[in-house]
Amino acid sequence: MVTQVQIIEWLQVYAHVIEHHKDKLTELDAAIGDADHGSNMDRGFKKITNILPNFADQDISSIFKTVSMTLISSIGGASGPLYGTWFLRASAATAGKEALAEEDMLELLKSGLDGVIERGKAQLGDKTMVDVLSPAVTAFEQAIRNNLNIVAALQASVQAAEQGLKDTIPMLAKKGRASYLGDRSIGHQDPGGTSAYWMLRSLLEVVEGSGG
């Protein structure tokens, strides 16, 4: 089970990862985008860090909703709406849940992915964060169908996400600013996919560290 306390810790860890790697995200985005993904994500998650103390008495769904609204209002470009939508769908998927079992986490991950697809109009193979989130969801679902626990399922999910991220490098971008570059987008790792991978890996680290 993933608890409310672990959700808060996850957000804290992810914010730290973004801060630590913001220059890398900017570097990746400079190659095929506006060179602002690192600064945008860092700004948004610094605001999340600042309001973490307010989450102590909120349930999981409420936390996700607050995160969503904060990111949408503070992150520019496509990242704010996309990550905001992911967390908003996560909020809806966890309504009434005091802790998240395997099926609950699957519903959260599926709902987040569906929201990103609907908001960004991207599909698998378009060189976006969908190329990371989609295989992650598939791997998580397969793992729990094989009766693996939530830690093992997240391990499989993150492994699939990492491969999905690597697979974005040779892709031709079909969405966003990167798509304007045509063939020049080939050979670069997608920045949004990179931040999405770190989001999932941060969750795994928290759950793994506490034994699930």
Side-chain angles (χ1 to χ4, degrees):
M1 300 287 279
V2 176
T3 66
Q4 179 256 23
V5 170
Q6 288 172 312
I7 294 296
I8 295 173
E9 185 182 354
W10 167 36
L11 294 169
Q12 190 170 30
V13 169
Y14 185 44
H16 177 73
V17 169
I18 290 295
E19 181 180 26
H20 185 70
H21 292 290
K22 63 181 178 182
D23 291 342
K24 176 64 175 178
L25 288 176
T26 294
E27 177 187 332
L28 291 170
D29 199 32
I32 58 174
D34 293 327
D36 59 0
H37 188 56
S39 58
N40 282 343
M41 290 292 287
D42 186 49
R43 181 171 61 253
F45 276 90
K46 269 189 169 61
K47 292 198 173 185
I48 299 300
T49 300
N50 290 338
I51 62 175
L52 280 176
N54 301 335
F55 291 156
D57 58 354
Q58 293 186 23
D59 61 26
I60 292 173
S61 178
S62 298
I63 290 171
F64 285 147
K65 187 172 183 180
T66 303
V67 169
S68 170
M69 297 299 104
T70 303
L71 295 181
I72 289 172
S73 65
S74 61
I75 298 182
S79 302
L82 290 172
Y83 274 98
T85 298
W86 194 92
F87 280 101
L88 188 61
R89 294 297 181 89
S91 172
T94 55
K97 304 288 184 181
E98 295 184 5
L100 307 178
E102 287 81 1
E103 290 288 348
D104 301 321
M105 184 59 67
L106 175 60
E107 183 59 30
L108 185 162
L109 295 173
K110 273 187 170 180
S111 296
L113 171 62
D114 289 346
V116 167
I117 290 173
E118 290 172 23
R119 188 66 187 250
K121 310 300 182 189
Q123 297 295 331
L124 200 60
D126 284 350
K127 198 184 182 91
T128 71
M129 62 195 295
V130 171
D131 293 296
V132 170
L133 297 174
S134 181
V137 170
T138 300
F140 189 93
E141 182 168 23
Q142 184 175 0
I144 66 169
R145 298 292 175 249
N146 290 333
N147 296 315
L148 296 181
N149 65 23
I150 202 161
V151 174
L154 283 171
Q155 289 169 339
S157 182
V158 169
Q159 186 175 8
E162 183 176 17
Q163 185 59 54
L165 179 58
K166 291 176 182 176
D167 289 344
T168 67
I169 297 173
M171 286 180 180
L172 173 72
K174 299 175 184 175
K175 290 290 178 182
R177 187 172 181 84
S179 66
Y180 303 159
L181 298 178
D183 289 345
R184 286 183 294 155
S185 66
I186 296 172
H188 299 283
Q189 183 169 296
D190 182 64
T194 304
S195 58
Y197 165 69
W198 284 334
M199 179 176 72
L200 297 175
R201 193 179 71 178
S202 298
L203 174 60
L204 170 62
E205 288 176 1
V206 169
V207 177
E208 201 173 35
S210 57

